[in-house]
Amino acid sequence: MKLSEISKTLNGEFVGKDVEIVGISDLENKKENTIVYIENNKYLEEMENSLVSALLLPEGIISTKKPFISVKNGKEAFAKLLSIFEKYKNLNPKLKKSEIYDSVYME
């Protein structure tokens, strides 16, 4: 989904290159072609220099390095963003037995 399309859905202001977004990253797991929500300036520089392709930012914060969507209510917009990409989740996870521990994990 193009960043401009996401912006329209979130009623936000789109700034920068219209990149393709396929999912959401978080502050610890950063991947290409994803968007990450940043609530304040604390993580802005780190996310601008990461693999993520776009940022979701509250009004008043801007990025000079990454395309972004500026929104009035960041938490509300992030909740909508999660629902947009809900369909990309693996709804039929496979359980695998750990070879090291006496447990299972989802693949």
Side-chain angles (χ1 to χ4, degrees), residues 12-34:
E13 180 185 345
F14 162 67
V15 178
K17 185 178 176 185
D18 198 10
V19 294
E20 186 71 26
I21 301 296
V22 298
I24 302 169
S25 281
D26 59 43
L27 298 177
E28 294 178 10
N29 302 298
K30 306 164 212 59
K31 296 181 181 176
E32 288 185 77
N33 301 317
T34 62

Side-chain angles (χ1 to χ4, degrees), residues 3 12 24 38-39 46 51 57 66 70 74 76 86 105:
L3 190 61
I24 302 169
I38 303 172
E39 192 170 12
E46 179 184 345
L51 290 174
L57 303 172
K66 298 266 186 191
S70 178
E76 184 180 298
E86 178 70 24
Y105 63 93

Side-chain angles (χ1 to χ4, degrees), residues 30 36 38 43-52 55 57 61-66 68:
K30 306 164 212 59
V36 65
I38 303 172
Y43 298 102
L44 181 61
E45 185 177 352
E46 179 184 345
M47 293 302 114
E48 285 180 323
N49 295 313
S50 73
L51 290 174
V52 299
L55 309 172
L57 303 172
I61 299 176
I62 63 167
S63 173
T64 58
K65 296 182 179 179
K66 298 266 186 191
F68 66 93

